[in-house]
Amino acid sequence: MDTSQNTALLRALTELPGPLPARGVIHIAIRHTDRFTVVGNDLAQHPGLSTTAVGFAVRIQSLPQGTEVGIKALAARFPEGEKLIAAALRELEAHGYLQRARTRLPNGRIVTRTVFCNQPTALLRPRAAAAPPQLPPVARPITTPAPAPEPTVKPEASPEPDPQPEPQSQPTPDPVATPDPPAPRAAPPQAAAPPQDRAPAAPPFVRLVPPPTAPKPPRPPLPRPRELTPELERVSTALLSDLRHHAPQFTLSEEHVRELVPGVAAWLERDAHPDTIRHTLTTNAPEPVNYPYQFIKHRLTVLLPPPLPGAHDLTPPPARRNPVTPFQTCDGCERAFRAPAPGHCRDCRNEVAYTQAAA
């Protein structure tokens, strides 16, 4: 089977016109007639996309409308893992080829809608309003009136022999006037949609993810202690120099140790134990660690613990209790009731008020 394929390639190679290049790729382009997808060079030769991202972009572009292109769906169809597929989709999102948004359906279900654009740079260009098509002017034929026939003058009789009669020319037929083509009928007034009924224009493309050339925010600086005492400096230097005994990939130079000492001192100042710092810096590290200095600096900056709270911060606030109204004994009927001060109950007060009103 391979031999027949190689023979076909060699036969097609000999049919290529012109001299062939001495090195590099040689294209044998066969025109597609069905089942093909047009892919632009801006995607196929994109300098910022990986080969995996370009491959998934071409595969997504070739799928019909409504096909599931989520991470789970792509991982079930292709041999690549979910992490590699997710990284490729993030690349396409960063360059504007892909956009994923969560949408709520009328039944309340939330789904993820994926929009793919094969040429996102074209959406950033200003779009010119489409002018209404104009009909070409209709050329009308020009009719020329036929010339009137000249009167024939008979020659007078003469003794000379009569000359041979000349053949009479056939009269020129009148040109037939071509009728004008009927003018196109104008659309009725009610057919034209009013301005308020027209569909709104599509919103311009808005990039949700900053382009790769956008300036990145500055990295946070290495933490520093309030006061770098000799004791903190000694312990920090010893801890950084001893990292290579626990993890050989974290072998630091003397200059790097001096630069990282303030960061370790900030951890020690916040009562972090040296074993805790060593475990945080060396656990779950990638293999291999190409830049140990940058890796340790990043972890010292990002994973810096907060200061320990003081004793007054840990004291719970006093419980707020609602005031309780005490019980009182009615001076009239000696019934118990709640009131802030001694006196009469409600029934006694109502009876006294009724008596006074009746009097």
Side-chain angles (χ1 to χ4, degrees), residues 88-281:
L89 296 183
R90 285 195 297 268
E91 288 186 48
L92 296 177
E93 281 186 312
H95 291 83
Y97 287 93
L98 192 71
Q99 181 178 0
R100 292 177 288 184
R102 300 179 68 84
T103 307
R104 183 181 297 273
L105 299 179
N107 58 0
R109 183 183 176 187
I110 298 178
V111 297
T112 301
R113 177 171 296 174
T114 305
V115 180
F116 183 86
C117 179
N118 63 340
Q119 196 175 358
T121 55
L123 298 179
L124 300 178
R125 302 169 188 164
R127 301 183 182 181
Q134 297 181 358
L135 297 177
V138 179
R140 299 185 177 181
I142 301 175
T143 57
T144 305
E150 299 180 358
T152 305
V153 181
K154 295 182 179 182
E156 297 180 355
S158 61
E160 295 180 359
D162 297 335
Q164 296 294 334
E166 296 180 0
Q168 296 181 359
S169 60
Q170 297 293 335
T172 305
D174 296 339
V176 180
T178 305
D180 296 341
R185 299 179 61 185
Q190 60 273 15
Q196 60 270 16
D197 294 344
R198 295 179 182 174
F205 176 75
V206 179
R207 185 183 292 274
L208 301 180
V209 180
T213 57
K216 298 182 179 180
R219 295 182 179 180
L222 185 71
R224 294 183 174 275
R226 289 174 295 180
E227 181 182 359
L228 185 58
T229 61
E231 183 66 18
L232 287 177
E233 185 176 2
R234 182 186 63 80
V235 177
S236 302
T237 304
L239 190 148
L240 292 171
S241 303
D242 190 59
L243 287 179
R244 62 178 181 268
H245 290 159
H246 301 273
Q249 63 268 29
F250 289 101
T251 301
L252 300 173
S253 64
E254 187 175 358
E255 180 181 0
H256 288 167
V257 169
R258 287 197 301 267
E259 294 180 2
L260 295 175
V261 160
V264 179
W267 282 60
L268 294 173
E269 189 181 51
R270 300 190 177 191
D271 293 340
H273 196 272
D275 294 340
T276 303
I277 301 176
R278 185 183 302 108
H279 182 270
T280 305
L281 296 180

Side-chain angles (χ1 to χ4, degrees), residues 22-38:
R23 62 181 63 186
V25 65
I26 300 175
H27 293 282
I28 300 178
I30 301 176
R31 185 178 182 84
H32 292 277
T33 58
D34 59 348
R35 294 182 56 79
F36 65 93
T37 302
V38 179

